[in-house]
Amino acid sequence: MEPADFAVRIEEVMAEECSSYECVLLDDNEIGVLWTFLIEDSISGYLGIEENEETLNVRTVSVGLHLKDISECSREELLAILELNAELINANFSVVKYPAKPPKDENDEEVAFADEGEDLIFEDDDDEEAEMKDLLIIQTRLPFDAFAPEDFGAFVQNLLFQADTMLNREEEDEDDNDDQEE
């Protein structure tokens, strides 16, 4: 399938299966190569096409789901999560950085007033550096030719199942260890 045909078809599939989606990156030919999506207003993720000319020399498709903020996790907790990669099937956990603006303090908000004929100048909050947080994702990557846009929903469900199985098992193991220590 040609990239332009793929882009059209994946958007048709996302329109059917997602609450919302957006093409966030185009290639040099103005063809979509990266989409973000939201399913049932609670599952967010991405789908991207990568050329991989310098490494694999095979065009690939990646589907990933954003799982949780792990910025506050200890080193041991992170290692335990990443050790689970060996048990995943055609998927992996990864950590990516994402910008997160600090929550605004309700007491700091000022109401701006302008006299008639006076220009109102708003302070631009974009100048403020966003704090970088760590986000746990689960993703799969396969050759472009092996991915059919119709399989998008199945890939998302597979990733959700594996993430739920592995992460909930880890939490149950921690609970069992806490019970044994008492």
Side-chain angles (χ1 to χ4, degrees):
M1 181 180 293
E2 292 298 315
D5 296 332
F6 179 90
V8 169
R9 186 64 191 128
I10 198 65
E11 289 198 12
E12 291 172 351
V13 170
M14 285 185 175
E16 294 171 11
E17 298 199 23
C18 301
S19 306
S20 65
Y21 72 91
E22 178 181 7
C23 181
V24 294
L25 184 64
L26 302 172
D27 67 7
D28 295 338
N29 298 318
E30 301 291 317
I31 297 171
V33 293
L34 180 63
W35 294 263
T36 58
F37 60 84
L38 187 63
I39 299 175
E40 298 174 5
D41 296 327
S42 61
I43 302 165
S44 65
Y46 64 89
L47 182 139
I49 303 170
E50 301 168 275
E51 290 298 327
N52 300 305
E53 292 173 3
E54 297 173 8
T55 54
L56 303 173
N57 203 21
V58 173
R59 184 182 304 150
T60 58
V61 173
S62 296
V63 179
L65 302 177
H66 308 127
L67 298 177
K68 63 182 181 176
D69 180 353
I70 56 171
S71 300
E72 304 300 320
C73 288
S74 69
R75 178 176 170 78
E76 291 77 25
E77 291 170 317
L78 292 175
L79 288 174
I81 290 171
L82 295 177
E83 283 177 4
L84 296 173
N85 274 329
E87 297 183 44
L88 294 173
I89 300 169
N90 294 327
N92 68 297
F93 288 121
S94 283
V95 179
V96 295
K97 295 276 190 195
Y98 74 99
K101 287 192 176 188
K104 288 192 172 199
D105 186 7
E106 293 177 17
N107 299 331
D108 289 346
E109 288 188 33
E110 291 182 21
V111 178
F113 293 99
D115 292 329
E116 188 175 328
E118 184 177 310
D119 289 336
L120 185 60
I121 300 173
F122 293 99
E123 290 184 28
D124 191 9
D125 291 339
D126 293 337
D127 294 341
E128 198 173 301
E129 278 288 316
E131 177 185 359
M132 296 302 283
K133 299 264 191 175
D134 295 323
L135 178 66
L136 180 67
I137 63 170
I138 186 169
Q139 64 182 356
T140 188
R141 185 164 87 172
L142 60 153
F144 179 82
D145 295 334
F147 183 87
E150 295 77 22
D151 295 337
F152 169 76
F155 278 100
V156 169
Q157 290 305 314
N158 179 34
L159 292 173
L160 282 171
F161 174 77
Q162 290 193 73
D164 186 49
T165 301
M166 293 299 157
L167 295 177
N168 286 338
R169 185 181 76 189
E170 179 193 52
E171 290 172 5
E172 288 171 5
D173 290 346
E174 287 177 11
D175 291 343
D176 290 345
N177 289 340
D178 291 343
D179 292 343
Q180 289 174 2
E181 289 176 5
E182 292 176 3

